[in-house]
Amino acid sequence: MTAIDTGPVRHLYVHVPFCAHKCEYCAFYSEAAQGELVNRYVAALVRELELVAADLRPRTIYFGGGTPSLLNLRQWETILAALARLNVSGADEWTVECNPATVSPDKAQLLRAAGVNRVSMGVQSLDESLLDRLGRIHSREQVFRSFDILRRAGFANVNLDLMFAIPGQTMAVWQATLREALALGSEHLSSYEVIYEEDTPLFEQLRAGRCDVNEDLACAMFEELVATAEAAGFRQYEIANFARHHGLAGAEVPDRACRHNVNYWRGGSFYGLGPSATSYVRGVRTKNWANTPLYCEQLEKGRRAIESTEELPPLGRAGEIAAFGLRMNAGWPFAEFECVTGFDLRGEWAGDMAWLGRQGLGRIAADRFQLTPRGLRFADLAAERFLRP
Amino acid sequence: MDTAHIRNFSIIAHIDHGKTTLSDRLLHRTGTISDRDMQEQLLDSMDLERERGITIKAHPVTMRYVARNGETFELNLIDTPGHVDFAYEVSRSLSACEGALLIVDAAQGVEAQTVANVHLAMKHDLAIIPVINKIDLPHANVPQTKQQLEEILAIPADMAILASAKEGIGIDEILEAIVARIPAPKPTGVAGLQASCFDSFFDTYKGVVTHVRIFNGELRPGMAVKLLYSGKSFEVKEVGSFNPKPYARERLEVGETGYFTANIKSPKDVKMGDTVTDNRTPAPALPGFQEIHPMVFSGLYPINTADYEHLKASLAKLQLNDSAFVYQAESSVALGFGFRCGFLGLLHLEIVQERLRREYAMDIIATYPSVVYKVRLSDGELKEIDNPAFLPEVTFIAEIHEPMVKTFIICPNEYIGDMMALISEKRGNLDHTETLDARRVMLTALVPLNEILIDFHDRIKSLTRGYGSMDYEHAGYRASDMVKLDILVNGEPVDAFSCIVHRDKAEGRGRALAAKLKEVIPRQQFAIAIQAAIGGKIVARETVSAFRKDVTAKCYGGDISRKRKLLEKQKEGKKRMKSIGAVNIPQEAFIEVLKA
């Protein structure tokens, strides 16, 4: 592997597979929290941490889910203590995802004191009826209250997750949600169009014809998002991600971009712990069992709970890294790409870049290739072209 | 065997009237095959033949039959392809016979195909033995079937043998009738060998195995023979008959039927209907030879251009056992390199395509089938056009002639109106109608071949709820006002979609085609214009709207692998499409336009 990827792994993801209630759109692995299973999970997670700690010196940590904020104080204490004992805490960027209904001042203070410095809050909407439609357990009031709690606990870096093109959502409702959310003054904004994933209630509704997709409206909402966020001082750095920037104008990504996620798009190594979590370490991708009891059982026997392993040939891996890196506004600087993958983008992919250029979807600059704003809308098409067997 | 004890006959019947079951019965009754070998549909050896219940390749089978008078006869059953597409093969097979069994289903009565085949048999002066089959069925109507035999086919009804091949009824009577009513072969009286080739197949070890009927002299291994039309000479290696498996014999004598091999490497050297004679003292040719002319042409292209060589090899192999199938390399702007293929008819085309897909695992695109037009240019030159792409500019054309067929449609009385409307929709002229019995009529009409290519038969079936049947004979050419219809995708003409149609139908067809393509061409990131044009004038337009985005927003570390696999699958799917300019056209589009 290349220079960047030698030495201990710099990024850690922890999956917390519990939710109070499964949302209508969610295809992530999670289950309803039952007290005993959660404790068993916490113990297994600590065991898994112990197994990989020697190869881990994280600059970023990300607790996602599920609903990490659903863990109680005692469970958090156990995990945080283990991180400290194994010398893997103290990352530069340490994010925990929170549901606005499960943020308490105690929990916020505990996390902050342990070194967590970023919170990602799953707001999704500020319209009560839409929150209901999505099966979210929180109310709009809870969003404002939780945001306040986080700020008072000292979190100076907060992300808000918003959804658009929700069945029943009008442009006016979307504009109101955007305006109110931005008014909170968060440092980061992630916003996604509703995805109808198979095996979700929402998908079933779509198939049964109980809701439908209005592509034109979805596009207009996305345009509204980009314009409104930029007017509020955010810089888009990935298809669905916006962050504030205070530093130099020419920076690759804004200061408040989520470093952890940037690492994914740049093809960097990371450990993913917890049920169903994916790791990608020096070119080898592994996926844990998406079944919490099974996951626990494996770790109780002292081995990692890996369900599958995938290792692409060098060109295939480079193609994948190229494809997903293009989701970022900065595109791929040729030098960086070569450093990460060992391949020159201008060699193998010259035809694809030229084709995208001709279609008005890509731009070939002296030092990089990047998608145009229109190209970002067709990032899947671009990605498809860059993939290699 | 002396000629007085040889009988050569074939069986003609409509599909499902029981030809195959009766053949198997005859083989069984004469002891040619044992109980154990009594496999259903013994003579149709290709899977496709069995599935479709039709015979494509003709197999002659030799049986020994001890008649009631105690004498032993050699009965040669020369099976014939049952479909009109193979009319020339049928006529070659019939010319090798002195008689024919005509099977009519007692419940269904005379069908269109029966009429066409009886006409052919009569042309060859065959003794016809009518067999009314399936008399055991509860709804069998023997008196009515007899009446139809007399009225439609002019065959004396008291000649008919009542039978049930399934139940074994009437089999002995049929065998006795073959001996008694079918004349023994008569030598032509010329000096030396005269034999007619009526089919062939390719054997990897022996080369071409040619089916022959000896009309004069005899054929032995070691003889030097000459094929009169191809002009080639060969040394005979082996002669034999079928039972129904091939077995070698010492000689084939006058009047007999069998096969010979002669290390013939190319099936093209053996033309159907050719005459085999002694190389040293050639006898005159037997009458009736024709070069086979394909009636329907279609371009076959590999979906994946890399499969071109594979397709070429597959076509060559296929041709070894199907000498009526012709092909030559061509190229299309839209589809790249492929082959222009000629077929005897639409069924033949379907069979070849199906065999390529099944037996050779080829993914192919077939272009809209075309008949052969005779085009007279302004300067008097005459051209035959089988590919719309080569139709000269309108300004150079004086006149276009299109092939016609005489079609027989038999249907229940209440559908006469529907059939007449269909005939007129298909630009046909009703010649006359005949009443067959209390409930059925036969319509005879002159219809352009081009019009019956695609869905004529299906339409008859659906309009008559399955009771109608149809057959046809070729009936020369007629001057018609034909034009070329082009389809443009984003301004680029897609030659594979072009067709030659009658002017009155061009606009309607253009609209239907454009609408169909709009359904099957997937949306892309730009709008796609589909236009139909006649001589540069746009007559229809449809637009496949652009999709405005394709990206699903969320994609983090855990999503990458799944997402990549999804994209890989999409990419694979696009590879199976043909790109015309920047537009991806799926394989189905090429199939759907056939139905538009």
Side-chain angles (χ1 to χ4, degrees), chain B residues 301-322:
Chain B
Y301 291 81
I303 297 258
N304 188 342
T305 46
D307 287 339
Y308 177 80
E309 288 300 328
H310 182 198
L311 178 58
K312 190 173 168 184
S314 304
L315 292 177
K317 274 194 209 159
L318 210 92
Q319 201 186 34
L320 287 178
N321 282 314
D322 186 353

Side-chain angles (χ1 to χ4, degrees), chain B residues 57 199-203 207-210 227 230 234 264-272 316-325:
Chain B
K57 301 290 291 178
D199 202 356
S200 70
F201 67 90
F202 192 82
D203 182 283
V208 178
V209 179
T210 309
L227 293 167
S230 72
F234 299 99
I264 303 172
K265 296 283 173 268
S266 166
K268 285 177 195 160
D269 292 341
V270 182
K271 293 179 188 293
M272 290 311 97
K317 274 194 209 159
L318 210 92
Q319 201 186 34
L320 287 178
N321 282 314
D322 186 353
S323 55
F325 166 65

Side-chain angles (χ1 to χ4, degrees), chain A residues 198-219:
Chain A
E198 269 182 74
D199 306 324
T200 63
L202 206 60
F203 181 80
E204 288 308 317
Q205 290 171 23
L206 180 70
R207 216 171 44 179
R210 273 180 288 135
C211 55
D212 76 310
V213 180
N214 182 339
E215 196 182 278
D216 287 339
L217 181 61
C219 278

Side-chain angles (χ1 to χ4, degrees), chain A residues 192 197 265 320 327 381 387, chain B residues 550 553 556 562 564 571:
Chain A
Y192 320 99
E197 301 218 54
W265 301 315
E320 178 186 277
R327 296 178 63 90
L381 179 73
L387 291 179
Chain B
D550 68 358
Y556 297 118
R562 191 172 69 115
R564 189 199 70 240
K571 189 169 183 167

Side-chain angles (χ1 to χ4, degrees), chain A residues 270 279-286 309-312 317:
Chain A
F270 59 91
S279 297
Y280 185 63
V281 177
R282 292 176 277 274
V284 181
R285 184 175 280 124
T286 55
T309 302
E310 173 185 273
E311 187 173 3
L312 299 181
R317 185 189 307 162

Side-chain angles (χ1 to χ4, degrees), chain B residues 174-193:
Chain B
I174 293 170
L175 286 164
E176 283 300 315
I178 291 170
V179 169
R181 297 194 214 164
I182 295 177
K186 279 195 264 319
T188 54
V190 301
L193 171 68

Side-chain angles (χ1 to χ4, degrees), chain B residues 512-552:
Chain B
L513 260 176
K516 193 74 185 177
L517 284 170
K518 182 188 173 164
E519 274 173 41
V520 292
I521 295 180
R523 296 166 70 201
Q524 275 153 63
Q525 72 277 11
F526 44 82
I528 302 164
I530 301 164
Q531 293 164 307
I534 303 168
K537 181 175 164 261
I538 305 293
V539 294
R541 184 194 161 102
E542 296 279 353
T543 306
V544 179
S545 63
F547 61 81
R548 300 186 54 190
K549 59 172 174 54
D550 68 358
V551 66
T552 41

Side-chain angles (χ1 to χ4, degrees), chain B residues 465-486:
Chain B
R465 296 161 177 250
Y467 289 115
S469 68
M470 177 282 260
D471 210 337
Y472 64 89
E473 318 174 334
H474 293 290
Y477 275 75
R478 179 177 84 177
S480 281
D481 188 7
M482 307 303 287
V483 294
K484 186 176 160 202
L485 177 72
D486 288 311

